[in-house]
Amino acid sequence: MEKHSLRVIHRLGWLACILMTVQPAPLRAQTASAAQPGDTAVQPLIDARKFDEAETILRDRLKAHVTADSMETAAAAGDTEWLALLLAMTKRAEEAEPLIRSAVRTREQLGDDRLTGRSLNRLASVLLERGRYEEAEAAARRAITLLSAPGLADDRLIAAWGNAGRILEARGRLPEAITAYSEGVGAGRRMLGDGNAVVAALQSLLVDAEAKMSAYRERSAGQRRKVDAVADATGRDSVETAREHYLLSLYLALQGDIAEAETTAEQAYAIQARVLGRDHADTRASLYQLATILRRGAEARAPAHVQHGDSAPPAPA
């Protein structure tokens, strides 16, 4: 893959920094009115990787907002968000999180749904970097809802779908990730056209996810054959067969076949509990796997407003 595409993938969660340089002129004109004050001063520094200079400017602005008691304004939210972006890009996601949460709150208070959606998308990126996947998914889905509302097309919707896909992959929900990537590619083609670098990057993520799915299916098919072979050789209720059931449940869960994964994990646990005892390490591992799959199944069956986290993302403790 080309170096440029790799860079775009790396920064997919932060499309606000690059979309204005790669999008077609008509869309750039449409979105220019929503650009944050000071973008022209800060973005070139970030693009040039002059992070220290950009950070100094942004921190000075925030000090001025505090002095002027203007932290609840759109301008302050924009500067806060830019600083969060810079911190996340320089591997300081922990510092970035309270800043981006502050920007989200200000956007919500000001009633600007589109800018709230953009801020939520950046929050999702930060939470993803921090491994807080459940909160990240809730933020990404709220961002998608706001950015896909009727009205002026918002190119950040592409990044929001990309973030959702990456989060779902991290949560082991590959089929849903593939759907999210596909939605993002579709949105990108409608807004930016074919051949755009951002769309191509998201398409690469989609291709990789589909390749993983194909590999999992091949492994599952092979593992099913192995279960039968081991059962024929050692017996249907042997420890060896239970181990193969356990492995099969892992592959099935990875490819999203939750119902069959539940049944297979239950078989593994039942055999091991009976033969090895409930306190054996292998039995406990199977019980943990079964509980994980059952939780996945419950999430999949939950109503959409619960599953997709329609409530606001939790505040930090």
Side-chain angles (χ1 to χ4, degrees), residues 70-140:
S70 60
M71 283 300 294
E72 302 303 316
T73 64
D79 290 331
T80 301
E81 194 165 333
W82 272 103
L83 181 56
L85 161 63
L86 187 152
L87 292 171
M89 289 181 65
T90 53
K91 307 300 182 183
R92 290 179 284 171
E94 184 174 357
E95 294 179 61
E97 183 184 341
L99 291 171
I100 192 61
R101 285 188 182 277
S102 174
V104 169
R105 286 193 296 271
T106 300
R107 303 290 196 202
E108 289 176 330
Q109 289 166 3
L110 293 173
D112 191 325
D113 286 348
R114 187 166 67 162
L115 290 183
T116 299
R118 293 181 179 188
S119 298
L120 282 165
N121 183 48
R122 287 179 171 171
L123 175 60
S125 292
V126 168
L127 293 170
L128 173 60
E129 290 298 319
R130 301 198 66 193
R132 306 248 292 281
Y133 301 134
E134 185 174 355
E135 293 175 78
E137 183 182 350

Side-chain angles (χ1 to χ4, degrees), residues 156-315:
R156 274 59 168 190
L157 177 62
I158 308 164
W161 279 119
N163 268 341
R166 294 189 301 142
I167 293 162
L168 289 164
E169 274 205 77
R171 301 193 74 184
R173 289 154 57 187
L174 190 57
E176 294 174 74
I178 289 172
T179 298
Y181 291 142
S182 297
E183 291 283 354
V185 169
R189 286 174 174 163
R190 289 190 298 273
M191 295 183 197
L192 306 178
D194 288 322
N196 178 271
V198 176
V199 178
L202 192 52
Q203 180 70 47
S204 295
L205 294 179
L206 173 59
V207 169
D208 288 346
E210 289 174 336
K212 289 179 186 176
M213 177 64 78
S214 179
Y216 290 148
R217 286 173 176 157
E218 289 182 11
R219 290 178 187 177
S220 294
Q223 187 62 26
R224 283 193 183 92
R225 292 191 293 270
K226 191 171 182 181
V227 168
D228 290 339
V230 171
D232 289 342
T234 65
R236 292 285 170 186
D237 291 333
S238 70
V239 172
E240 292 79 7
T241 301
R243 188 176 299 115
E244 301 306 329
H245 277 303
Y246 172 81
L247 293 173
L248 177 57
S249 72
L250 293 175
Y251 294 137
L252 291 168
L254 287 170
Q255 70 186 48
D257 290 340
I258 301 302
E260 188 177 356
E262 287 180 6
T263 300
T264 308
E266 287 171 352
Q267 290 174 315
Y269 173 71
I271 295 170
Q272 290 170 326
R274 185 167 57 252
V275 177
L276 299 174
R278 297 180 185 276
D279 291 332
H280 192 279
D282 288 350
T283 307
R284 291 199 302 271
S286 288
L287 181 59
Y288 178 81
Q289 169 68 358
L290 176 57
T292 300
I293 294 171
L294 289 171
R295 184 169 63 250
R296 285 272 306 279
E299 289 175 356
R301 291 186 290 270
H305 70 280
V306 175
Q307 182 181 350
H308 294 168
D310 287 350
S311 59

